[in-house]
Coordinates of all heavy atoms in Angstrom, one line a residue:
M1189 N 52.1 -5.9 71.0 CA 51.8 -4.8 70.1 C 52.3 -4.9 68.9 O 51.8 -4.4 67.9 CB 52.3 -3.5 70.8 CG 51.6 -2.3 70.2 SD 49.9 -2.4 70.2 CE 49.4 -0.8 70.7
L1190 N 53.5 -5.8 68.7 CA 53.9 -5.9 67.3 C 53.0 -6.7 66.3 O 52.8 -6.2 65.2 CB 55.3 -6.7 67.4 CG 55.9 -7.1 66.0 CD1 56.3 -5.8 65.3 CD2 57.1 -7.9 66.3
R1191 N 52.4 -7.7 67.0 CA 51.4 -8.4 66.2 C 50.2 -7.6 65.7 O 49.7 -7.6 64.6 CB 50.9 -9.6 66.9 CG 49.6 -10.3 66.2 CD 49.4 -11.6 66.7 NE 50.1 -12.5 65.7 CZ 50.4 -13.7 66.1 NH1 50.2 -14.2 67.2 NH2 51.0 -14.5 65.1
L1192 N 49.8 -6.7 66.6 CA 48.6 -5.8 66.2 C 49.1 -4.8 65.2 O 48.4 -4.5 64.3 CB 48.1 -5.0 67.5 CG 47.5 -5.8 68.6 CD1 47.3 -4.9 69.9 CD2 46.2 -6.4 68.1
S1193 N 50.3 -4.3 65.3 CA 50.9 -3.3 64.2 C 51.0 -4.1 62.9 O 50.5 -3.5 61.9 CB 52.3 -2.9 64.7 OG 52.2 -2.2 65.9
Q1194 N 51.3 -5.3 62.9 CA 51.4 -6.2 61.7 C 50.0 -6.3 61.1 O 49.9 -6.2 59.9 CB 52.0 -7.4 61.9 CG 53.5 -7.4 62.3 CD 54.2 -8.7 62.7 OE1 53.4 -9.6 63.1 NE2 55.4 -8.8 62.4
Q1195 N 49.0 -6.5 61.9 CA 47.6 -6.6 61.5 C 47.2 -5.3 60.8 O 46.5 -5.3 59.8 CB 46.8 -7.1 62.6 CG 47.0 -8.6 63.1 CD 46.1 -9.0 64.2 OE1 45.4 -8.2 64.8 NE2 46.2 -10.2 64.6
L1196 N 47.5 -4.3 61.5 CA 47.0 -3.0 60.8 C 47.7 -2.8 59.5 O 47.0 -2.4 58.6 CB 47.4 -1.9 61.9 CG 47.2 -0.5 61.4 CD1 45.8 -0.1 61.2 CD2 47.9 0.6 62.2
L1197 N 48.9 -3.0 59.4 CA 49.6 -2.8 58.2 C 49.1 -3.8 57.2 O 49.0 -3.5 56.0 CB 51.1 -3.2 58.3 CG 51.8 -2.0 59.2 CD1 53.3 -2.4 59.4 CD2 51.7 -0.6 58.5
T1198 N 48.8 -5.0 57.5 CA 48.1 -5.9 56.6 C 46.8 -5.5 56.0 O 46.5 -5.4 54.8 CB 47.9 -7.3 57.2 OG1 49.1 -7.8 57.5 CG2 47.2 -8.3 56.3
R1199 N 45.9 -4.9 56.8 CA 44.7 -4.3 56.4 C 44.8 -3.1 55.5 O 44.2 -2.9 54.5 CB 43.9 -3.9 57.7 CG 43.3 -4.9 58.5 CD 42.3 -5.6 57.7 NE 41.7 -6.6 58.7 CZ 40.4 -7.1 58.6 NH1 39.7 -6.6 57.6 NH2 40.0 -8.0 59.5
L1200 N 45.8 -2.3 55.8 CA 46.2 -1.1 55.0 C 46.6 -1.6 53.6 O 46.2 -1.0 52.5 CB 47.2 -0.1 55.6 CG 46.7 0.5 56.8 CD1 47.9 1.2 57.5 CD2 45.7 1.5 56.4
L1201 N 47.6 -2.6 53.5 CA 48.0 -3.1 52.3 C 46.8 -3.7 51.4 O 46.8 -3.5 50.3 CB 49.0 -4.2 52.5 CG 49.6 -4.9 51.3 CD1 50.1 -3.9 50.3 CD2 50.5 -6.0 51.6
A1202 N 45.9 -4.4 52.1 CA 44.8 -4.9 51.4 C 43.9 -3.8 50.9 O 43.4 -3.9 49.6 CB 43.8 -5.7 52.4
R1203 N 43.8 -2.6 51.6 CA 43.0 -1.4 51.0 C 43.8 -0.9 49.8 O 43.2 -0.5 48.8 CB 42.9 -0.4 52.1 CG 41.9 -0.8 53.2 CD 41.9 0.1 54.3 NE 41.6 1.5 54.0 CZ 40.5 2.3 54.3 NH1 39.7 1.7 55.0 NH2 40.5 3.4 53.8
V1204 N 45.1 -1.0 49.7 CA 45.8 -0.4 48.6 C 45.5 -1.3 47.5 O 45.3 -0.9 46.3 CB 47.5 -0.3 49.0 CG1 48.2 -0.1 47.7 CG2 47.7 0.7 50.0
L1205 N 45.7 -2.6 47.7 CA 45.6 -3.6 46.6 C 44.1 -3.7 46.0 O 44.0 -4.0 44.8 CB 46.0 -5.0 47.0 CG 47.4 -5.1 47.5 CD1 47.7 -6.6 48.0 CD2 48.3 -5.0 46.2
D1206 N 43.1 -3.4 46.9 CA 41.8 -3.2 46.5 C 41.5 -1.9 45.7 O 40.4 -1.8 45.3 CB 40.8 -3.3 47.7 CG 40.8 -4.8 48.2 OD1 41.2 -5.8 47.4 OD2 40.3 -5.0 49.3
G1207 N 42.4 -1.0 45.7 CA 42.2 0.3 45.1 C 41.2 1.3 45.7 O 40.7 2.2 45.1
V1208 N 41.2 1.1 47.0 CA 40.5 2.0 47.9 C 41.0 3.4 47.8 O 42.3 3.7 47.8 CB 40.4 1.5 49.4 CG1 39.7 2.6 50.3 CG2 39.8 0.2 49.5
E1209 N 40.2 4.4 47.6 CA 40.6 5.8 47.6 C 41.1 6.2 48.9 O 40.5 5.9 49.9 CB 39.4 6.7 47.2 CG 39.8 8.2 46.9 CD 38.7 9.1 46.5 OE1 37.7 8.5 46.0 OE2 38.8 10.2 46.8
N1210 N 42.3 6.8 48.9 CA 42.9 7.2 50.2 C 43.1 5.9 51.1 O 42.5 6.0 52.3 CB 42.2 8.3 50.9 CG 42.2 9.6 50.1 OD1 43.2 10.0 49.5 ND2 41.1 10.2 50.0
P1211 N 43.7 4.9 50.7 CA 43.7 3.7 51.5 C 44.5 3.8 52.8 O 44.2 3.0 53.7 CB 44.5 2.7 50.7 CG 45.4 3.6 49.7 CD 44.6 4.7 49.6
C1212 N 45.3 4.8 53.1 CA 46.1 4.8 54.3 C 45.4 5.9 55.3 O 46.0 6.0 56.3 CB 47.5 5.2 54.0 SG 48.4 3.9 53.2
V1213 N 44.3 6.3 55.0 CA 43.6 7.3 55.8 C 42.5 6.3 56.5 O 41.5 5.7 55.8 CB 42.8 8.4 55.1 CG1 42.1 9.3 56.1 CG2 44.0 9.2 54.5
I1214 N 42.5 6.2 57.7 CA 41.6 5.3 58.5 C 41.0 6.0 59.8 O 41.7 7.0 60.2 CB 42.4 4.0 59.0 CG1 43.6 4.5 59.9 CG2 42.8 3.2 57.9 CD1 44.2 3.2 60.5
G1215 N 39.9 5.6 60.2 CA 39.3 6.1 61.3 C 39.2 5.1 62.5 O 39.6 3.9 62.3
I1216 N 38.8 5.6 63.7 CA 38.8 4.8 64.8 C 37.8 3.6 64.5 O 38.2 2.4 64.8 CB 38.1 5.5 66.1 CG1 39.3 6.5 66.5 CG2 37.8 4.6 67.2 CD1 38.9 7.6 67.5
S1217 N 36.7 3.7 63.9 CA 35.8 2.7 63.6 C 36.3 1.7 62.7 O 36.0 0.5 62.8 CB 34.5 3.3 63.1 OG 34.7 4.0 61.8
D1218 N 37.2 2.1 61.7 CA 37.9 1.1 60.9 C 38.7 0.1 61.7 O 38.6 -1.1 61.5 CB 38.7 1.8 59.9 CG 38.1 2.7 59.0 OD1 37.0 2.3 58.5 OD2 38.6 3.8 58.6
V1219 N 39.6 0.6 62.5 CA 40.4 -0.3 63.3 C 39.7 -1.1 64.3 O 39.9 -2.3 64.5 CB 41.5 0.6 64.1 CG1 42.3 -0.2 65.0 CG2 42.4 1.4 63.1
A1220 N 38.7 -0.4 64.9 CA 37.9 -1.2 65.9 C 37.1 -2.4 65.1 O 37.1 -3.6 65.6 CB 36.8 -0.4 66.5
S1221 N 36.6 -2.1 64.0 CA 36.0 -3.2 63.2 C 36.9 -4.4 62.7 O 36.8 -5.6 62.8 CB 35.3 -2.7 62.0 OG 34.8 -3.6 61.2
W1222 N 38.2 -3.9 62.2 CA 39.2 -4.8 61.7 C 39.7 -5.7 62.8 O 39.9 -6.9 62.6 CB 40.3 -4.1 61.1 CG 40.0 -3.2 59.9 CD1 39.0 -3.4 59.0 CD2 40.9 -2.2 59.5 NE1 39.1 -2.5 58.0 CE2 40.3 -1.8 58.2 CE3 42.1 -1.6 59.8 CZ2 40.8 -0.7 57.5 CZ3 42.5 -0.5 59.0 CH2 41.9 -0.1 57.9
L1223 N 39.9 -5.2 64.1 CA 40.5 -5.9 65.2 C 39.6 -6.4 66.2 O 40.0 -7.1 67.0 CB 41.7 -5.1 65.8 CG 42.7 -4.7 64.7 CD1 43.7 -3.7 65.4 CD2 43.4 -5.8 64.0
G1224 N 38.3 -6.1 66.0 CA 37.2 -6.5 66.9 C 37.4 -6.1 68.3 O 37.1 -6.8 69.3
V1225 N 37.7 -4.9 68.4 CA 37.9 -4.2 69.7 C 36.9 -3.0 70.0 O 36.4 -2.5 69.0 CB 39.4 -3.9 70.2 CG1 40.1 -5.1 70.1 CG2 39.9 -2.8 69.1
S1226 N 36.9 -2.5 71.2 CA 36.1 -1.2 71.4 C 36.7 -0.1 70.9 O 38.0 0.1 70.6 CB 35.8 -1.1 72.9 OG 37.0 -0.8 73.6
D1227 N 35.9 1.1 70.7 CA 36.6 2.5 70.3 C 37.6 2.8 71.3 O 38.6 3.4 71.0 CB 35.5 3.4 70.2 CG 34.6 3.3 68.9 OD1 34.9 2.4 68.2 OD2 33.7 4.0 68.8
K1228 N 37.4 2.6 72.7 CA 38.2 3.0 73.7 C 39.7 2.3 73.5 O 40.7 3.0 73.5 CB 37.7 2.8 75.1 CG 38.6 3.3 76.2 CD 38.1 2.9 77.4 CE 39.0 3.2 78.6 NZ 38.6 2.8 79.9
T1229 N 39.5 1.1 73.2 CA 40.8 0.3 73.2 C 41.5 0.8 71.9 O 42.8 0.9 71.8 CB 40.5 -1.2 73.0 OG1 40.1 -1.6 74.3 CG2 41.8 -2.1 72.8
T1230 N 40.8 1.0 70.8 CA 41.3 1.4 69.5 C 42.0 2.8 69.7 O 43.2 3.0 69.3 CB 40.2 1.6 68.5 OG1 39.6 0.4 68.2 CG2 40.8 2.1 67.2
R1231 N 41.4 3.7 70.5 CA 42.0 5.1 70.7 C 43.4 4.8 71.4 O 44.3 5.5 71.2 CB 41.1 5.9 71.5 CG 39.9 6.5 70.7 CD 39.2 7.5 71.6 NE 38.0 8.0 70.8 CZ 36.8 7.5 70.7 NH1 36.5 6.4 71.5 NH2 35.9 8.0 70.0
E1232 N 43.3 4.0 72.5 CA 44.7 3.7 73.2 C 45.7 3.2 72.3 O 46.9 3.6 72.4 CB 44.4 2.7 74.4 CG 43.5 3.2 75.4 CD 43.1 2.1 76.4 OE1 43.4 0.9 76.3 OE2 42.4 2.5 77.2
W1233 N 45.3 2.3 71.4 CA 46.3 1.7 70.4 C 46.8 2.7 69.6 O 48.0 2.7 69.2 CB 45.8 0.5 69.8 CG 45.6 -0.7 70.6 CD1 46.0 -0.9 71.9 CD2 44.9 -2.0 70.3 NE1 45.6 -2.2 72.2 CE2 44.9 -2.8 71.4 CE3 44.2 -2.3 69.2 CZ2 44.4 -4.0 71.3 CZ3 43.6 -3.5 69.1 CH2 43.6 -4.4 70.2
L1234 N 45.9 3.5 68.9 CA 46.2 4.5 68.0 C 47.2 5.6 68.8 O 48.2 6.0 68.0 CB 45.0 5.3 67.5 CG 44.1 4.5 66.6 CD1 42.8 5.3 66.2 CD2 44.8 4.1 65.2
Q1235 N 47.0 5.9 69.9 CA 47.9 6.7 70.7 C 49.3 6.1 70.8 O 50.4 6.7 70.6 CB 47.4 7.1 72.1 CG 46.3 8.0 72.1 CD 45.8 8.3 73.4 OE1 46.0 7.6 74.4 NE2 45.0 9.3 73.5
E1236 N 49.4 4.8 71.0 CA 50.6 4.1 71.1 C 51.4 4.1 69.7 O 52.5 4.2 69.7 CB 50.4 2.7 71.7 CG 50.1 2.7 73.1 CD 49.8 1.1 73.6 OE1 50.5 0.2 73.2 OE2 49.0 1.0 74.5
W1237 N 50.6 3.8 68.7 CA 51.1 3.8 67.3 C 51.8 5.1 66.9 O 52.7 5.2 66.2 CB 50.2 3.2 66.4 CG 49.9 1.7 66.6 CD1 50.7 0.8 67.1 CD2 48.7 1.0 66.2 NE1 50.2 -0.5 67.0 CE2 48.8 -0.4 66.6 CE3 47.5 1.4 65.7 CZ2 47.9 -1.2 66.4 CZ3 46.4 0.4 65.6 CH2 46.7 -0.9 65.9
T1238 N 50.9 6.1 67.4 CA 51.4 7.5 67.0 C 52.7 7.8 67.8 O 53.6 8.3 67.2 CB 50.2 8.5 67.3 OG1 49.1 8.2 66.6 CG2 50.6 9.9 67.0
A1239 N 52.7 7.5 69.1 CA 53.8 7.8 69.9 C 55.1 7.0 69.3 O 56.2 7.6 69.3 CB 53.6 7.4 71.3
G1240 N 54.9 5.9 68.7 CA 56.0 5.1 68.3 C 56.4 5.5 66.7 O 57.2 4.8 66.1
G1241 N 55.6 6.2 66.1 CA 55.8 6.8 64.8 C 55.3 5.8 63.6 O 55.7 6.1 62.5
L1242 N 54.4 4.8 64.0 CA 53.9 4.0 63.0 C 52.8 4.7 62.2 O 52.6 4.6 61.0 CB 53.3 2.8 63.6 CG 52.6 1.8 62.7 CD1 53.6 1.1 61.8 CD2 51.9 0.7 63.4
I1243 N 52.1 5.7 62.8 CA 51.0 6.4 62.2 C 51.1 7.8 62.6 O 51.8 8.1 63.6 CB 49.6 5.9 62.5 CG1 49.3 5.9 63.9 CG2 49.5 4.4 61.8 CD1 47.9 5.5 64.4
Y1244 N 50.4 8.8 61.9 CA 50.3 10.2 62.5 C 48.9 10.6 62.3 O 48.4 10.2 61.1 CB 51.4 11.0 62.0 CG 51.4 11.2 60.4 CD1 50.8 12.3 59.8 CD2 52.0 10.3 59.6 CE1 50.8 12.5 58.5 CE2 52.0 10.5 58.1 CZ 51.4 11.5 57.7 OH 51.4 11.7 56.4
P1245 N 48.4 11.5 63.1 CA 47.0 12.0 62.9 C 47.0 13.0 61.8 O 47.9 13.8 61.6 CB 46.7 12.7 64.3 CG 48.1 13.0 64.9 CD 49.0 11.9 64.3
V1246 N 45.8 13.1 61.2 CA 45.6 14.1 60.1 C 44.1 14.6 60.5 O 43.3 13.9 60.5 CB 45.6 13.4 58.7 CG1 45.2 14.4 57.7 CG2 46.9 12.7 58.4
W1247 N 44.1 15.8 60.6 CA 42.8 16.5 60.9 C 42.0 16.7 59.6 O 42.5 17.4 58.6 CB 42.9 17.8 61.6 CG 43.5 17.5 63.1 CD1 44.8 17.6 63.3 CD2 42.7 17.0 64.1 NE1 44.9 17.1 64.7 CE2 43.7 16.8 65.1 CE3 41.4 16.7 64.4 CZ2 43.3 16.4 66.5 CZ3 41.0 16.3 65.6 CH2 42.0 16.1 66.6
V1248 N 40.9 16.1 59.5 CA 40.0 16.2 58.3 C 38.7 16.7 58.7 O 38.0 16.0 59.5 CB 39.9 14.9 57.5 CG1 39.0 15.1 56.4 CG2 41.3 14.3 57.2
G1249 N 38.2 17.8 58.4 CA 36.9 18.3 58.7 C 36.8 18.5 60.2 O 37.6 19.1 60.7
S1250 N 35.9 17.9 60.7 CA 35.5 18.0 62.2 C 36.2 17.0 63.0 O 36.1 17.0 64.3 CB 34.0 18.0 62.5 OG 33.5 16.7 62.2
G1251 N 36.9 15.9 62.5 CA 37.5 14.9 63.3 C 38.9 14.5 62.8 O 39.3 14.9 61.7
A1252 N 39.5 13.7 63.6 CA 40.8 13.3 63.2 C 40.9 11.8 62.5 O 40.0 11.0 62.9 CB 41.7 13.1 64.4
R1253 N 41.6 11.7 61.6 CA 42.0 10.5 60.9 C 43.4 10.2 61.1 O 44.1 11.1 61.2 CB 41.5 10.6 59.4 CG 40.1 10.9 59.1 CD 39.2 9.7 59.5 NE 37.8 9.9 59.1 CZ 36.9 10.4 60.0 NH1 37.2 10.7 61.2 NH2 35.6 10.7 59.6
V1254 N 43.7 9.0 61.0 CA 45.2 8.7 61.0 C 45.6 8.1 59.7 O 44.9 7.6 59.0 CB 45.4 7.7 62.1 CG1 45.2 8.3 63.5 CG2 44.7 6.3 62.0
R1255 N 46.9 8.3 59.5 CA 47.5 8.0 58.2 C 48.9 7.3 58.6 O 49.5 7.5 59.4 CB 47.8 9.2 57.5 CG 48.4 8.9 56.0 CD 48.6 10.2 55.3 NE 47.4 11.0 55.3 CZ 46.9 11.4 54.1 NH1 47.4 11.0 53.0 NH2 45.7 12.1 54.0
N1256 N 49.0 6.1 57.7 CA 50.2 5.5 58.0 C 51.3 6.0 57.0 O 51.0 6.4 55.9 CB 50.0 4.0 57.5 CG 51.1 3.1 57.4 OD1 52.0 3.3 56.6 ND2 51.2 2.2 58.4

């Protein structure tokens, strides 16, 4: 899981460097696309990262987004 966490942080850093608006706000589809996994797997990983304190959920509109 450490390597996956590092890959997530690398993607977020790239978003910061690219000047993306709200670079640390990501969705399930972002992570699934970046890491080439299903939405179900992404949800499981996001739950693990949330439990470990790496990210935390932010409710925006009708759905949840996660923030590093």
Side-chain angles (χ1 to χ4, degrees):
M1189 194 53 137
L1190 179 60
R1191 172 165 261 159
L1192 293 172
S1193 299
Q1194 290 172 337
Q1195 289 177 355
L1196 174 66
L1197 293 174
T1198 299
R1199 290 289 185 156
L1200 291 171
L1201 177 58
R1203 288 171 57 112
V1204 169
L1205 295 174
D1206 287 341
V1208 173
E1209 185 177 336
N1210 297 319
C1212 292
V1213 177
I1214 58 174
I1216 292 169
S1217 61
D1218 295 321
V1219 177
S1221 173
W1222 294 341
L1223 302 177
V1225 296
S1226 70
D1227 285 357
K1228 180 181 177 187
T1229 298
T1230 299
R1231 284 185 183 90
E1232 291 170 3
W1233 290 350
L1234 291 173
Q1235 286 176 347
E1236 289 179 31
W1237 290 330
T1238 300
L1242 180 66
I1243 59 173
Y1244 63 95
V1246 176
W1247 294 97
V1248 178
S1250 62
R1253 298 289 185 263
V1254 293
R1255 184 179 300 241
N1256 173 291

